[in-house]
């Protein structure tokens, strides 16, 4: 057998290491892609957010019509400006319409159609995580980059807003890619490709939401720090201008291509953005706000720091705390990247804090950076401890295995966490501080999630298509109701409209006290409560039907009579309808009797009607219609109508207060005389 030389053996070993490295790199990209796309595209359409229903779906339709009809100036639609949102919404519309035309859309439900509208958003944001991983690998190497991408791909706060047709998640993608690509260009790889990607991503961020402007000064600071902090000659420092011109050119070109209104009618478009900043940020939200357990129209400077903590995962907080200790192990360029990412988060929070209108989702544009910083902190401190002199004798045999095991453990932990909240990542709050309940006690929650569960419960009610459903959030409830069911959002009034059978109060409205007549229901027992991770998100009430003659009497502490209505007819066929309000569930059926006495006290009619225990639930308002056969109801003041409630199992009547009970000699004890006229 021929023996290879030491040089050949070394070359073969190096080739083997390269092959294994390539396999690992390919596998790491595959894992990142699968995780990022899965949680951003799986189970879409489960619920519709308020802004999707009220704004972005219709804005996408308007955008499509403007593009099709070459009305470029009419693409100035939203002050956010939401350009990328509307482009991706158009992609969803195109996908939905073509799948329907080809007959491939076999499920015509609203959930299926909404999923197709949201799909391009989730897909683009998922691919951005993969591209971010490429940038991070070039900046920090494999393990730190992989863990950072995993934290980014599985961050519940980020995912929640990167799978809906909205602006914040897309702005997060643009800001993060822009800053990472700028760091790569000025600190590691001076290829114009990265510079142009950074400029285009910054334009993407700003066109998604005006808060994406935070990328502009940060990129400028990156360029200045790379040129002027270095010891390069003055002639090299003058090269700052040319790259910045390329960056600005890429940003401007991207903006002009994506937003035709910028060149078709620039004055009107820029004025729209100015008005949007004033209207959207400089004034409190017209529907109120909630912070630290109370209604607060303009929360103070604590709002966003508290939101950062409560919206983060436990390991992100740990990583942020470890980050200062990990800086020593990094190179100077890597330290600068960390400093600039941290500065972006700080500047963003400081810029948002003065505005009175605050929601914790406004932090989403910098949430990937927080996750990246935490991952770098964990990876660098772990490597530093592993290489320490005290542990080196014990860790040397596991130098290659340990990083993989550590990253694998954190990956599984991150995936398990987001999976446990899926598809309600929007409801996530840090379990170290009380989880979802702490979030509900601190911030105004609820953006539409849970209303599809309320609709599902209502769809099972037998009378759902025969009554109106009043709701504080009609737009997120109606799409999930069965055909024929109608939701309304009544304006402030003392009573609900006629024929209103059910009312749904949503959590964000309950936190700031809903308007009349919904506020009258808060002291009543709901028929059903929608729960998400232990927090009540919607309360369904049965609206008490109107009563012609009020007569409140409680029978045996079990059921309350609210009143009655005498239904007369021209054919002398009449009935009495009794209106009940259960106080407690009796766990067995009841029955109501009606005795009709003539003027001489002789019983001329008797009717017994069973009442099922299934309708005797607190919060329900059952009715009992009793026919009055062979009774001339047109003759006033001739008949006496007495009712009572009893247990059909033994005939025992439920007691009523003595001051309202009729004379026992008429028809026995515990009978109530109805003053029918």
């Amino acid at each position: 057998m021929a023996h290879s030389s030491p040089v050949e053996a070394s070359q073969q070993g190096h080739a083997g290491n390269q092959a294994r490295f390539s396999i690992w790199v390919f596998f790491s990209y595959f894992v990142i892609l699968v995780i990022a796309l899965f949680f951003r595209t799986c189970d879409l359409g489960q619920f519709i957010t308020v802004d999707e229903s009220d704004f972005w779906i219709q804005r996408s339709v308007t955008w499509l019509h403007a593009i099709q009809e070459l009305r470029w100036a009419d693409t100035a639609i939203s002050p956010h400006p939401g350009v990328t949102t509307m482009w991706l919404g158009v992609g969803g519309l195109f996908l939905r319409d073509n799948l329907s035309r080809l007959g491939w859309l076999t499920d015509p439900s609203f959930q299926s159609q909404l999923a197709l509208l949201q799909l391009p958003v989730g897909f683009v944001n998922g691919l951005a995580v993969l591209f971010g991983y490429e940038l991070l690998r070039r900046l920090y190497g494999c393990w730190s980059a992989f863990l950072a991408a995993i934290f980014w791909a599985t961050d519940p706060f980020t995912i929640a807003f990167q799978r809906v047709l909205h602006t914040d998640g897309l702005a997060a993608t643009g800001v993060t890619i822009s800053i990472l690509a700028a760091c790569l260009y000025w600190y590691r790889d001076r290829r114009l490709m990265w510079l142009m990607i950074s400029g285009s991503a910054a334009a993407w961020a700003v066109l998604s939401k005006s808060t994406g402007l935070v990328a502009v000064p940060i990129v400028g600071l990156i360029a200045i720090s790379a040129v002027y902090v270095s010891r390069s000659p003055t002639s090299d420092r003058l090269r700052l201008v040319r790259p910045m011109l390329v960056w600005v050119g890429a940003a401007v070109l991207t903006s002009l291509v994506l937003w035709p209104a910028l060149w078709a009618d620039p004055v009107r478009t820029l004025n729209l953005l100015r008005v949007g900043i004033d209207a959207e940020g400089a004034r409190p939200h017209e529907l109120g706000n909630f912070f630290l357990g109370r209604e607060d129209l303009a929360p103070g400077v604590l709002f966003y720091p508290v939101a950062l903590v409560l919206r983060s995962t436990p390991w992100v907080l740990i990583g942020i705390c470890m980050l200062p200790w990990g800086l020593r192990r990094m190179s100077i360029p890597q330290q600068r990247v960390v400093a600039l990412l941290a500065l972006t988060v700080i500047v963003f929070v400081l810029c948002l804090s003065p505005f009175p209108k605050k929601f914790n989702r406004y932090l989403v544009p910098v949430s990937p950076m927080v996750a990246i910083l935490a991952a770098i902190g964990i990876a660098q401190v772990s490597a530093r401890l592993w290489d320490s002199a005290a542990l080196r004798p014990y860790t040397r045999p596991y130098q290659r295995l340990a990083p993989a095991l550590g990253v694998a453990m954190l990956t599984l932990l991150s995936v398990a966490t987001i999976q446990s909240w899926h598809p309600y990542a929007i409801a996530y709050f840090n379990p170290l501080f009380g989880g979802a309940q702490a979030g509900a006690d601190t911030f105004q929650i609820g953006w539409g999630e849970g209303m599809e569960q309320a609709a599902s419960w209502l769809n099972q009610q037998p009378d759902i298509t025969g009554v109106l459903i009043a709701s504080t959030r009609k737009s997120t409830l109606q799409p999930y109701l069965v055909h024929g069911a109608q939701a309304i959002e009544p304006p402030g009034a003392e009573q609900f409209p006629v024929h209103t059978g059910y009312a749904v109060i949503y959590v964000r409205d309950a936190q700031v006290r809903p308007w009349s007549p919904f506020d009258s229901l808060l002291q009543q027992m709901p028929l059903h409560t929608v729960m998400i991770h232990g927090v009540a998100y919607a309360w369904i009430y049965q609206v008490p039907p109107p009563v012609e003659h009020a007569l409140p009497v409680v029978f045996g502490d079990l059921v309350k009579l609210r009143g009655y209505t005498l239904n007369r007819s021209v054919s002398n066929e009449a009935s009495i309808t009794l209106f009940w309000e259960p106080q407690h569930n009796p766990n067995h059926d009841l029955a109501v009797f009606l005795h009709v006495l003539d003027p001489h006290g002789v019983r001329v009619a008797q009717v017994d009607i069973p009442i099922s225990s299934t309708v005797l639930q607190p919060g329900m308002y059952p009715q009992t219609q009793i026919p009055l056969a062979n009774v001339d109801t047109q003759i006033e003041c001739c008949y006496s109508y007495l009712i009572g409630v009893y247990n059909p199992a033994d005939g025992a009547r439920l007691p009523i207060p003595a001051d309202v009970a009729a004379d026992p000699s008429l028809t026995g004890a515990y009978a109530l005389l109805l003053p029918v006229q």
Side-chain angles (χ1 to χ4, degrees):
M1 179 182 295
H3 296 278
S4 60
S5 67
V7 175
E8 292 174 339
S10 176
Q11 291 175 344
Q12 291 172 1
H14 179 71
N17 290 335
Q18 287 290 96
R20 287 192 294 271
F21 180 78
S22 299
I23 293 173
W24 149 246
V25 170
F26 174 80
F27 180 71
S28 68
Y29 276 93
F30 176 76
V31 170
I32 295 295
L33 179 63
V34 169
I35 293 176
L37 287 180
F38 178 82
F39 290 110
R40 285 164 175 79
T41 61
C42 183
D43 295 326
L44 294 175
Q46 288 280 343
F47 59 88
I48 185 171
T49 65
V50 174
D51 283 12
E52 285 177 301
S53 176
D54 293 350
F55 304 114
W56 292 111
I57 293 179
Q58 184 54 48
R59 284 172 178 171
S60 298
V61 173
T62 303
W63 180 279
L64 176 60
H65 291 162
I67 295 297
Q68 289 175 332
E69 298 168 11
L70 306 182
R71 293 183 285 107
W72 309 119
D74 290 343
T75 58
I77 298 171
S78 167
H80 288 80
V83 171
T84 59
T85 304
M86 290 182 284
W87 269 121
L88 294 173
V90 167
L93 292 170
F94 180 83
L95 185 62
R96 181 196 66 182
D97 294 343
N98 280 275
L99 289 178
S100 299
R101 180 176 56 83
L102 294 172
W104 294 350
L105 186 60
T106 57
D107 181 7
S109 67
F110 174 79
Q111 177 178 336
S112 176
Q113 297 190 43
L114 177 61
L116 292 174
L117 291 176
Q118 296 172 336
L119 181 61
V121 177
F123 189 75
V124 167
N125 284 319
L127 289 180
V129 177
L130 186 68
F131 184 71
Y133 174 48
E134 169 67 19
L135 298 176
L136 287 164
R137 279 189 64 246
R138 294 173 181 270
L139 287 167
Y140 284 98
C142 290
W143 296 116
S144 296
F146 183 81
L147 189 59
I150 285 293
F151 279 14
W152 179 0
T154 60
D155 181 62
F157 189 39
T158 305
I159 289 172
F161 298 94
Q162 289 195 332
R163 52 184 277 122
V164 295
L165 190 63
H166 203 256
T167 58
D168 295 293
L170 292 167
T173 288
V175 170
T176 308
I177 295 297
S178 177
I179 293 177
L180 289 178
C183 289
L184 180 58
Y185 173 80
W186 268 291
Y187 295 151
R188 185 62 61 104
D189 184 358
R190 288 297 184 99
R191 281 187 285 178
L192 287 180
M193 174 181 65
W194 307 123
L195 196 63
M196 297 175 68
I197 289 174
S198 175
S200 296
W204 177 280
V206 176
L207 293 180
S208 298
K209 195 169 185 178
S210 55
T211 52
L213 283 167
V214 70
V216 177
I218 298 298
V219 169
L221 188 59
I222 293 170
I224 293 172
S225 66
V227 175
Y228 286 91
V229 176
S230 66
R231 298 180 179 179
S232 58
T234 304
S235 59
D236 288 343
R237 296 181 183 181
L238 296 178
R239 297 177 183 176
L240 171 66
V241 177
R242 193 190 326 178
M244 286 306 300
L245 289 176
V246 173
W247 188 90
V248 171
V252 170
L253 181 61
T254 301
S255 300
L256 293 175
V257 170
L258 291 180
W259 200 4
L262 278 175
W263 48 264
D265 194 348
V267 175
R268 171 172 168 260
T269 303
L270 295 177
N271 185 62
L272 177 68
L273 297 180
R274 181 190 61 79
V275 172
I277 293 174
D278 176 66
E280 293 295 326
R283 304 174 188 175
H285 197 277
E286 61 274 10
L287 298 180
N289 208 340
F290 181 90
F291 183 53
L292 296 178
R294 64 182 180 87
E295 186 175 0
D296 191 344
L297 289 177
V301 295
L302 285 177
F303 185 90
Y304 288 117
V306 172
L308 276 175
V309 173
L310 284 184
R311 281 296 198 174
S312 63
T313 59
W315 36 95
V316 164
L317 287 183
I318 293 172
I320 293 296
C321 293
M322 296 171 68
L323 188 60
W325 283 269
L327 288 175
R328 294 183 182 180
R329 197 175 182 274
M330 303 179 201
S331 64
I332 297 298
Q334 289 176 337
Q335 291 177 355
R336 290 178 185 169
V337 173
V338 167
L340 287 162
L341 291 178
L343 182 63
T344 304
V345 177
I346 294 171
V347 169
F348 195 79
V349 170
L350 291 177
C351 290
L352 289 182
S353 293
F355 291 97
K357 184 179 179 181
K358 293 182 175 72
F359 291 117
N360 58 70
R361 62 179 169 85
Y362 290 173
L363 285 175
V364 171
V366 295
S367 59
M369 292 184 215
V370 176
I372 291 170
L373 288 170
I376 292 173
I378 291 176
Q380 296 297 326
V381 170
S382 299
R384 183 180 175 187
L385 291 174
W386 199 255
D387 292 338
S388 63
L391 295 179
R392 191 176 298 119
Y394 307 99
T395 60
R396 185 176 292 115
Y398 310 102
Q399 286 293 333
R400 294 183 178 179
L401 181 62
L405 290 178
V407 169
M409 181 183 69
L410 286 172
T411 299
L412 292 176
L413 186 62
S414 300
V415 170
T417 298
I418 184 58
Q419 177 61 39
S420 67
W421 288 84
H422 186 75
Y424 295 114
I426 196 171
Y428 173 87
F429 288 93
N430 197 316
L432 292 180
F433 300 97
Q437 187 59 58
D441 294 338
T442 307
F443 300 109
Q444 189 174 44
I445 62 170
W447 207 28
E449 67 275 20
M451 289 299 268
E452 80 291 349
Q453 294 188 38
S456 177
W457 187 90
L458 289 167
N459 290 339
Q460 299 174 26
Q461 308 312 306
D463 62 340
I464 193 60
T465 58
V467 296
L468 297 175
I469 305 158
S471 175
T472 59
R473 295 286 163 177
K474 169 190 171 183
S475 63
T476 54
L477 176 68
Q478 180 67 62
Y480 294 92
L481 292 173
V482 295
H483 180 72
Q486 182 180 355
I488 60 172
E489 193 170 308
E494 293 186 1
Q495 295 182 342
F496 289 100
V498 180
H499 306 306
T500 302
Y502 300 92
V504 182
I505 297 179
Y506 195 47
V507 58
R508 69 185 296 114
D509 304 303
Q511 288 178 310
V512 297
R513 189 166 183 84
W515 61 90
S516 178
F518 291 100
D519 57 351
S520 64
L521 299 174
L522 294 180
Q523 303 303 318
Q524 300 180 19
M525 180 71 69
L527 288 177
H528 181 71
T529 302
V530 174
M531 306 292 292
I532 297 178
H533 290 280
V535 175
Y537 267 72
W539 296 265
I540 303 176
Y541 299 87
Q542 185 172 10
V543 176
V547 177
E548 183 178 356
H549 303 287
L551 187 61
V553 176
V554 178
F555 288 80
D557 295 328
L558 291 180
V559 60
K560 175 183 178 181
L561 177 70
R562 298 177 55 241
Y564 67 94
T565 297
L566 176 61
N567 309 300
R568 293 184 173 94
S569 68
V570 295
S571 61
N572 288 342
E573 294 180 0
S575 64
I576 288 179
T577 301
L578 304 176
F579 297 85
W580 306 100
E581 181 180 349
Q583 306 296 295
H584 303 282
N585 192 313
N587 297 320
H588 57 78
D589 294 346
L590 297 178
V592 59
F593 67 80
L594 171 68
H595 293 174
V596 183
L597 309 182
D598 67 11
H600 304 289
V602 178
R603 187 185 303 173
V604 296
Q606 176 177 343
V607 182
D608 292 76
I609 303 291
I611 308 177
S612 173
S613 61
T614 58
V615 300
L616 294 175
Q617 307 288 336
M620 301 182 73
Y621 295 91
Q623 304 174 28
T624 303
Q625 188 173 28
I626 305 176
L628 299 176
N630 302 320
V631 178
D632 187 358
T633 59
Q634 303 298 324
I635 303 177
E636 297 182 357
C637 303
C638 293
Y639 295 101
S640 299
Y641 300 86
L642 296 102
I643 66 166
V645 181
Y646 63 95
N647 185 346
D650 55 14
R653 295 183 179 182
L654 301 186
I656 60 174
D659 60 335
V660 297
D663 186 348
S665 64
L666 294 176
T667 188
Y670 304 133
L672 177 67
L673 178 64
L674 300 182
V676 175
Q677 294 183 359

